[in-house]
């Protein structure tokens, strides 16, 4: 993948990809907002494509993202919470939740690029019903998952 960004005027830049181009108009939309939009869109495409590959359909998909950034520069993302809301013809809520989990844990390359430095959680509403709330990714450097005490096997 290659992208070229060139200054146009004032605080406008043109980004050219191998397939298209678009204008980044700062400060109307900041590069960080574009970055977060890219993360969300990456996962949203999974939530459409994974069910489609299983012969299922997702409609009315909305993904909200809320990020908390560090106070000190470079102001990295510290926490990211994604809220997925969609309708589908999934066999059940478990299948719908698996689509989201597959995206955040495996397929979405942008989420997986930041997962070691950002605590990531998600909530899911499926067919108008909240089915997961504030679930944390099962891996990632900043996640604090309490596994409890683990007894060692006898030797």
């Amino acid at each position: 993948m290659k992208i070229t960004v060139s200054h146009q005027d004032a605080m406008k830049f043109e980004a050219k990809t191998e397939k298209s181009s678009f204008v980044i108009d700062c400060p109307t939309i900041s590069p960080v907002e574009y970055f977060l939009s890219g993360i969300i869109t990456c996962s949203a495409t999974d939530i459409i494509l994974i069910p489609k590959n299983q012969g299922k359909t997702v409609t009315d998909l909305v993904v909200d993202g809320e990020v908390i950034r560090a106070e000190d520069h470079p102001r990295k993302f510290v926490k990211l919470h994604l809220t997925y809301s969609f309708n589908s013809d999934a066999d059940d809520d478990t299948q719908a939740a698996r689509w989201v989990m597959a995206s955040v844990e495996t397929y979405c390359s942008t989420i997986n690029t930041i997962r070691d430095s950002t605590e990531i959680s998600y909530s899911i509403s499926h067919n108008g019903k909240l089915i997961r709330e504030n679930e944390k990714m099962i891996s990632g450097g900043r996640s604090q998952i309490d596994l409890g005490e683990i007894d060692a096997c006898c030797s």
Side-chain angles (χ1 to χ4, degrees):
M1 174 186 323
K2 181 180 178 184
I3 295 176
T4 301
V5 175
S6 56
H7 179 246
Q8 300 301 296
D9 61 48
M11 290 303 288
K12 288 187 181 179
F13 300 84
E14 181 182 26
K16 290 183 181 177
T17 71
E18 295 171 6
K19 299 175 186 174
S20 187
S21 67
F22 56 94
V23 174
I24 300 169
D25 186 5
C26 305
T28 304
I29 300 175
S30 74
V32 175
E33 290 169 314
Y34 277 102
F35 180 62
L36 182 56
S37 297
I39 291 168
I40 294 169
T41 303
C42 179
S43 184
T45 60
D46 290 339
I47 307 307
I48 298 297
L49 292 174
I50 293 168
K52 183 179 179 181
N53 290 338
Q54 297 173 2
K56 303 293 181 182
T57 303
V58 166
T59 61
D60 306 311
L61 173 65
V62 175
V63 183
D64 291 315
E66 185 173 347
V67 73
I68 295 173
R69 296 174 65 191
E71 292 293 322
D72 298 327
H73 289 283
R75 302 214 49 227
K76 291 182 178 184
F77 290 5
V78 176
K79 292 183 180 185
L80 170 62
H81 182 77
L82 299 169
T83 302
Y84 297 82
S85 177
F86 59 94
N87 297 318
S88 81
D89 58 353
D91 296 332
D92 53 29
D93 291 337
T94 300
Q95 183 179 36
R98 284 183 181 147
W99 296 335
V100 173
M101 291 184 293
S103 175
V104 299
E105 293 288 345
T106 304
Y107 294 108
C108 181
S109 59
T110 56
I111 288 174
N112 284 285
T113 297
I114 66 167
R115 76 186 297 163
D116 290 336
S117 62
T118 306
E119 182 181 318
I120 301 171
S121 61
Y122 58 91
S123 297
I124 307 168
S125 289
H126 178 242
N127 292 337
K129 181 174 101 181
L130 183 65
I131 62 170
R132 297 287 190 280
E133 187 171 22
N134 294 318
E135 297 283 325
K136 295 199 186 304
M137 287 184 66
I138 60 173
S139 60
R142 296 191 62 103
S143 296
Q144 300 295 321
I145 299 171
D146 183 4
L147 298 175
E149 291 190 32
I150 300 173
D151 292 327
C153 294
C154 299
S155 52

